DNA sequence: ATGAAAGCGCTAACAC
DNA sequence: GTGTTAGCGCTTTCAT
C-alpha cells in the first residue's frame, strides 16, 4: 500500500491491470458485460493499489449524484436525530447518501444551507417545515429535483409534504382536556417564535379551548438550559402563581417530564388534582414514575416515508404521490390525564 | 423564474450578462479583481436567472472539496448528535460542510461508509473510535487527507485522536468509589460487545476495584428499549438479587437516571444506603430529584476540537498537532455519591 | 466483450 | 480587469 501524494485514478488501475480505463470503470460499477477473467484482473489490481473511485468526476460525467439533502433546524432537539434515523434506515442500502444541513431555526441560514446543498445537485431534498423564504421556495421549485417537506402539513407544499397537522394536534389535545372537564388550564412552552410547529400546536390548542368557552389561565415560555429542569421550575412557578390550575399542557415531553417529577415530589395528586400532558411521545416517558400523557409525533415514520418518496422518484421519475401525506397522531393518555 | 429541465450553467449567466464565463466565475466566488460595474451586472443576471453553481464541476476543476466526512456509530444515542453539534458549530461559517455517515457499530458497515465517503474526496475525516478494520486503516492512511479519530484515545491513532481515555475514566470512578468505602458494588450496562468505549470503562473500573481488593458483586447488561425504563428494571432486579449492594455504577446516565428514580420511589436512602453513578454528564440530570453522580465525556468539546483541527489543516497543510489530544473528564459527585 | 473519442461544468494558469 | 485555453477524472456513446 504505497502512499503517494496524488490520489489514484482509473488510469492507474488500467495500467496496472492492462485493461482499458473504460473496462475498469465497467467492472467497478458492475455495468455492462465483462468477462470473468478481466473482472478478476481488474478487481485484483484495484484492491492491491487501494484505489477509491472519484465520485466527483463520476457525478460530473454521469450527471447523477447519489446524495439526498436533509435540512433540519437543529441536532440538539432529539426529534430531529430521530427523523434522521428514519431516513438513514430507509436509504441505507439504496445507494443514496443523506447529507445534513442545520438551520438553527433561522430563515437566512436555511437559505444559505439550501443554496450550498443544491449546488451539489442532490437527487432530492428533505426539508423540515413548510415555511420557507420566497428565495428558498424559488430555489427548490426551480431545482427540478424532488422536494419533500416534512413534519408539518399545515401549508402549501412546494412538491410533497409528509407529516402531521400540528394545528390539529393542538386542537385534539385541547378538546380532550375540555371533554375531561378541566377548566383552569395552563400552557408551558419554548420561547421560539420561529418554531412554527410549536406555534401551530399552541394556536390549535387555544382555539379548541375557546370553542369550549375556556381561556388559558396561565402560560409561560422558556429558553435555554436543561428542559427537564426548566419544566420543574416553570411548573412550580405557575402553580404558585395560579394555584387553582387543574391542567398543564407542555409543548414538549421533556419539560412535561420535569413538571411531572415536580408535581409528584410536591405531593400533588396527578391527575386527580392536576392533569399533565406533553408532546412527542418520546421513549424516555416509559421510565417515568407515572407515564406522562402525550401524543406521538410520528418522527421515525415521517423520516422513513420521506426517504421512500425520494428513493422512488430517483429510480422512477413518474411515481405519483399525493401532495400531502398526513399522518394522524393519537393521544396516549398515560397516567396523567383523567378519562373523559 | 423560468423552470427548465436543464439546470443553468455558468454559460447561461455569461450570455445573459455579456461577460465571459471566467469573469462570472470570479464574481460568484469573490476571487480576483473585478470592476464594480461588471460585478453588479453578473450578480443581477445570476440572481434573475436563479443560477446555482455546480460544485461538482467546481470541485473537479479545482481539486478542492469543502466536505468533511463525519463517521459515527448511531444517531439514537444522544452522545453523537451532541458531538455533531460541536462540529457544526465550528464548521458553520468556515465554508466546510459536514457529511454524516452511520455505522451502527458494525465494522463492515464502517468500511462501506468510509469507502463511500472517501470517494467524494473530502477535506478531512472525523471518525468515532480508534478501533478500525485493517482495510479502514489502510483507506484512511492512504487517502492523504487529515483524519481525526474522536471520543477515545486508548489506542494508536492513524493521524490524530481527540477524546478522553475511557479506561482511565472507569478507573477513576472505581477509585473514587473504593475510596468512599464502598465494598459491594454492581455494574449495569449495555449489551454491546462492539461499543469499545463502554467496554474500556468497564475494564478500567474492575481493574481499579481489583487494586482495592474488591470484586464486582453483581452485574447486568441490557439491549433495546427505553434506557430509563431498563435502568429501573435492572436496578430493581439486582437489588432484589443482591440486597447488600452499596453502590451501582451505570454505563450511561439514562439507565442511571432510571435507577435513581427507582431507588427513590422504593424508599432507599441515596447515597446513605446505596450510592449511584452514571456516565456522560447529560444535561437531563439537572432536572432529576437528586443530581446523579456522573462524569462529563466532553462531547461538544471533542467535536469542536476535531473540527478545528480539520479546519486548520484544510487551510494550512503544515499546522502541527499532537498525535493525541487528551481531555480529562472530572467526576461530578452530584447528590448520589458519598464524600470520601 | 472491449476500446476510442468526446465532453460533463467548472477553474488554474496564463495571456493581454 | 478581463478573456482564452486546457484540463480535472470520470462516463456516455459509438465503434469494433
Amino acid at each position: 500500500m504505497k502512499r503517494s501524494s496524488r490520489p489514484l485514478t482509473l488510469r492507474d488501475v488500467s495500467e496496472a491491470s492492462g485493461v482499458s480505463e473504460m473496462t475498469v470503470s465497467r467492472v467497478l460499477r458492475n455495468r455492462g458485460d465483462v468477462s470473468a477473467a478481466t473482472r478478476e484482473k481488474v478487481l485484483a489490481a484495484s484492491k492491491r493499489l487501494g484505489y477509491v473511485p472519484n465520485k466527483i468526476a463520476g457525478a460530473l460525467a454521469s450527471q447523477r449524484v447519489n446524495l439526498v439533502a436533509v435540512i433540519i433546524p437543529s441536532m440538539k432537539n432529539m426529534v430531529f436525530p430521530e427523523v434522521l434515523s428514519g431516513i438513514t434506515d430507509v436509504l441505507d442500502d439504496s445507494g443514496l447518501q443523506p447529507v445534513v444541513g442545520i438551520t438553527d431555526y433561522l430563515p437566512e441560514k436555511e437559505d444559505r444551507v439550501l443554496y450550498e446543498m443544491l449546488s451539489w445537485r442532490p437527487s432530492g431534498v428533505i426539508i423540515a417545515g413548510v415555511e420557507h423564504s420566497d428565495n428558498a421556495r424559488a430555489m427548490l421549485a426551480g431545482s427540478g429535483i424532488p422536494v419533500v417537506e416534512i413534519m408539518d402539513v399545515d401549508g402549501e407544499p412546494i412538491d410533497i409534504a409528509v407529516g402531521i397537522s400540528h394545528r390539529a394536534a393542538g386542537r385534539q389535545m385541547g378538546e380532550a382536556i375540555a371533554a375531561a372537564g378541566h377548566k383552569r388550564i395552563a400552557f408551558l412552552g419554548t420561547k421560539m417564535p420561529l418554531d412554527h410547529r410549536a406555534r401551530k400546536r399552541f394556536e390549535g390548542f387555544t382555539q379548541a379551548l375557546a370553542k369550549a368557552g375556556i381561556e388559558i389561565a396561565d402560560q409561560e415560555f422558556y429558553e435555554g438550559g436543561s428542559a427537564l429542569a426548566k419544566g420543574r421550575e416553570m411548573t412550580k412557578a405557575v402553580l404558585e402563581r395560579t394555584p387553582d390550575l387543574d391542567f398543564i399542557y407542555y409543548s414538549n415531553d421533556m419539560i412535561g417530564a420535569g413538571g411531572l417529577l415536580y408535581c409528584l415530589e410536591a405531593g400533588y395528586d396527578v391527575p386527580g388534582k392536576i392533569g399533565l400532558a406533553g408532546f412527542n411521545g418520546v421513549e424516555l416517558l416509559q421510565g417515568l414514575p407515572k407515564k406522562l400523557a402525550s401524543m406521538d409525533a410520528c418522527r421515525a415514520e415521517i423520516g422513513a416515508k420521506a426517504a421512500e418518496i425520494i428513493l422512488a422518484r430517483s429510480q422512477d421519475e413518474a411515481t405519483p404521490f399525493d401532495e400531502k401525506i398526513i399522518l394522524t397522531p393519537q393521544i396516549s393518555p398515560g397516567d396523567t390525564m383523567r378519562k373523559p
Side-chain angles (χ1 to χ4, degrees), chain A:
Chain A
M1 201 77 47
K2 194 173 54 205
R3 166 113 183 235
S4 75
S5 60
R6 176 182 63 74
L8 295 164
T9 69
L10 259 192
R11 171 175 222 112
D12 296 309
V13 182
S14 163
E15 284 169 358
S17 62
V19 174
S20 79
E21 286 185 40
M22 198 52 239
T23 301
V24 173
S25 166
R26 280 195 268 253
V27 170
L28 265 20
R29 286 177 301 146
N30 292 312
R31 209 139 299 188
D33 293 324
V34 183
S35 75
T38 13
R39 148 167 274 102
E40 289 317 313
K41 264 195 300 191
V42 169
L43 256 20
S46 165
K47 181 154 196 185
R48 180 162 44 79
L49 298 176
Y51 172 68
V52 176
N54 185 331
K55 286 220 181 190
I56 312 242
L60 183 61
S62 67
Q63 308 280 60
R64 250 190 298 278
V65 181
N66 68 342
L67 262 23
V68 178
V70 180
I71 300 177
I72 55 179
S74 160
M75 219 57 164
K76 283 162 191 150
N77 183 338
M78 202 51 193
V79 170
F80 300 106
E82 283 178 28
V83 173
L84 252 180
S85 262
I87 294 174
T88 49
D89 286 351
V90 169
L91 256 34
D92 227 9
D93 304 291
S94 71
L96 290 182
Q97 250 283 316
V99 186
V100 181
I102 305 293
T103 69
D104 288 326
Y105 291 97
L106 267 23
E108 323 87 67
K109 195 161 174 207
E110 178 170 285
D111 286 11
R112 288 210 314 274
V113 168
L114 189 55
Y115 184 79
E116 187 79 6
M117 294 267 177
L118 288 179
S119 70
W120 284 102
R121 303 285 187 268
S123 298
V125 175
I126 297 176
I127 184 167
V130 290
E131 276 83 15
H132 310 290
S133 73
D134 289 347
N135 195 349
R137 294 185 72 89
M139 280 194 273
L140 286 168
S143 69
I145 60 182
V147 176
V148 181
E149 292 164 277
I150 55 169
M151 324 271 311
D152 188 8
V153 296
D154 295 329
E156 284 305 311
I158 295 166
D159 186 356
I160 298 178
V162 181
I164 67 170
S165 164
H166 286 261
R167 217 175 310 261
R171 210 181 301 131
Q172 200 180 329
M173 187 58 88
E175 285 162 2
I177 294 170
H182 294 281
K183 298 264 182 268
R184 301 289 294 162
I185 302 164
F187 180 87
L188 301 187
T190 44
K191 195 178 291 167
M192 297 195 84
L194 295 171
D195 182 344
H196 299 286
R197 291 174 288 285
R199 197 202 69 222
K200 288 171 183 173
R201 286 200 299 279
F202 183 52
E203 287 170 7
F205 186 64
T206 52
Q207 184 188 325
L209 293 188
K211 205 167 270 174
I214 301 170
E215 211 174 315
I216 291 280
D218 200 345
Q219 62 191 67
E220 188 157 328
F221 301 86
Y222 77 101
E223 59 189 335
S226 154
L228 204 64
K230 289 289 177 183
R232 269 175 187 277
E233 293 168 23
M234 290 198 295
T235 302
K236 181 164 193 281
V238 295
L239 282 173
E240 280 167 3
R241 194 165 58 206
T242 318
D244 65 336
L245 286 181
D246 61 10
F247 205 98
I248 305 179
Y249 180 38
Y250 297 87
S251 77
N252 70 64
D253 284 336
M254 279 306 258
I255 54 173
L260 172 59
L261 289 176
Y262 170 77
C263 288
L264 294 179
E265 274 167 54
Y268 284 91
D269 172 13
V270 178
K273 155 77 176 134
I274 184 152
L276 306 172
F279 180 81
N280 261 342
V282 300
E283 211 178 41
L284 168 90
L285 301 182
Q286 306 295 337
L288 260 21
K290 290 198 173 201
K291 188 153 181 293
L292 181 70
S294 189
M295 207 165 183
D296 185 10
C298 311
R299 304 169 304 280
E301 287 152 81
I302 288 174
K305 189 69 196 168
E308 279 162 17
I309 293 172
I310 298 293
L311 197 51
R313 277 278 164 82
S314 84
Q315 287 165 350
D316 165 18
E317 300 270 319
T319 321
F321 283 102
D322 289 337
E323 201 192 30
K324 289 187 186 181
I325 296 176
I326 306 179
L327 306 182
T328 50
Q330 300 294 323
I331 290 179
S332 60
D335 313 315
T336 65
M337 217 166 144
R338 297 182 209 148
K339 311 298 177 257

